[in-house]
Amino acid sequence: MQFKLAHVAAFVSSVAAHMAMNEPCPRFSPNCATQPQLPVGQGYDYNIKNPIAYDGPVFKSNTPWPQPVALWTAGQPVNVGFQADGAGHGGGHCQFAISYDNGKTAAIVHKVMKHCFFNGPSNSNNAEVLKYTFTLPADVPASSNAQFIWIWTNAVGGRELYTGISDITIANSGGSKSYTGKSAIYPNHAGYDTIPEFGGDYTTGLSLYDNAPNVTITSSGYTAEQPSNQKPTMSKSLEPSSSDSCETSSASPKAPDLPVIHNTVVQPLTSTDSETPSLTAPSVKPTSDQGTDGECEPGECEPGALKCNDNGSGFRICTWGKWSDGFTCVQGTVCKTSDLNSVYCGWP
């Protein structure tokens, strides 16, 4: 009888459609406020709320968005949101992690244990909490090719695993090169322990998270598949050379660390949607600063520098000695310079 009841519970939960992240927008959700253009050969995931197959990949797609969907700043608050009308399965354990190698290695930056999606113990399927705000650790390295990962193990119902992966840019002016945290784990998936149904005991499975090994992650990056009809490319970013030479390579270079942008909500200059801003990372174009005499020639700006546009409508970031195409502030705000030698979009 217990076997049949478990399967009925699993069937009911599948009808209720489970839970799915929608901020930052995961690959390839059709339910976000804004999304980048789909990569070549990819389609929207209309079953994004479904659990991960037990013996399948831990993410539904290993193909990144062609551009980041959010800009997060180390040491600053960030938001993670979830779709409404999903099934909360009485809560459970949620992990929030950062990766720089497309999810192969992920370090925890935040956890909501026991009652994820709820304010306390619950047998309800109606999620009470749909947004979490936490401070991104200050030593998370900067990268324009980072991934944010959500992992959920439900408290009530069939023993399942839910994940989401989003492609983001992380800014950090502190120069951190690595971050160490607990390794992300994937309970109820092949190769990992199964956490049984909680049965009212919300400490169930906590030891697995507490005993997870520490992992150190560093920004390394990868080149995403390009939209339109351009040929997709994959390349490793260049490591800093011990030489003082200014030679460049045909491989895609690693973008310089981006500066802190405080409390900023921005959207691309090319966006036409003023109600729901989104973010596109500035393009990074390698240039050779090698002079004819063998010495490095200075660029027009120092990498990582920020400046407001002349009319205050947005700001630009210096990458590889050149000013980026820039970002525009959302409607009603203007670019300002802070006391921290940075810029932000605020009210006039």
Side-chain angles (χ1 to χ4, degrees), residues 100-310:
Y100 297 97
D101 58 6
N102 208 17
K104 295 177 183 177
T105 308
I108 300 299
V109 293
H110 187 68
K111 292 189 296 185
V112 179
M113 296 285 98
K114 302 181 180 180
H115 310 301
C116 196
F117 304 123
F118 291 89
N119 294 312
S122 175
N123 287 320
S124 174
N125 252 352
N126 299 320
E128 300 170 347
V129 181
L130 296 177
K131 179 170 286 189
Y132 289 99
T133 300
F134 60 90
T135 299
L136 192 65
D139 51 345
V140 171
S143 174
S144 59
N145 294 295
Q147 299 84 46
F148 171 72
I149 294 168
W150 159 69
I151 308 165
W152 173 43
T153 304
N154 54 310
V156 176
R159 307 322 301 141
E160 297 167 335
L161 175 70
Y162 300 84
T163 69
I165 182 168
S166 306
D167 301 288
I168 64 172
T169 288
I170 296 177
N172 188 332
S173 64
S176 175
K177 300 301 181 184
S178 66
Y179 169 77
T180 300
K182 289 286 188 180
S183 175
I185 61 173
Y186 302 88
N188 304 340
H189 191 266
Y192 291 86
D193 290 325
T194 295
I195 295 180
E197 195 168 13
F198 289 12
D201 180 4
Y202 284 85
T203 65
T204 301
L206 289 183
S207 61
L208 294 179
Y209 302 89
D210 294 338
N211 295 329
N214 287 333
V215 62
T216 298
I217 54 176
T218 60
S219 58
S220 56
Y222 60 95
T223 300
E225 183 176 357
Q226 300 298 315
S228 70
N229 58 0
Q230 295 178 351
K231 183 179 179 181
T233 60
M234 294 288 289
S235 66
K236 295 180 180 179
S237 57
L238 299 178
E239 296 297 329
S241 171
S242 58
S243 167
D244 291 331
S245 171
C246 297
E247 292 181 2
T248 59
S249 167
S250 59
S252 299
K254 179 180 177 182
D257 290 352
L258 297 176
V260 175
I261 303 173
H262 295 276
N263 302 323
T264 304
V265 181
V266 295
Q267 60 185 356
L269 285 173
T270 57
S271 173
T272 57
D273 184 356
S274 60
E275 294 182 358
T276 311
S278 61
L279 176 72
T280 301
S283 58
V284 178
K285 298 180 180 180
T287 58
S288 174
D289 290 328
Q290 185 79 17
T292 56
D293 57 359
E295 298 182 357
C296 296
E297 295 179 351
E300 65 184 52
C301 56
E302 178 162 350
L306 286 171
K307 73 172 182 178
C308 292
N309 294 342
D310 292 340

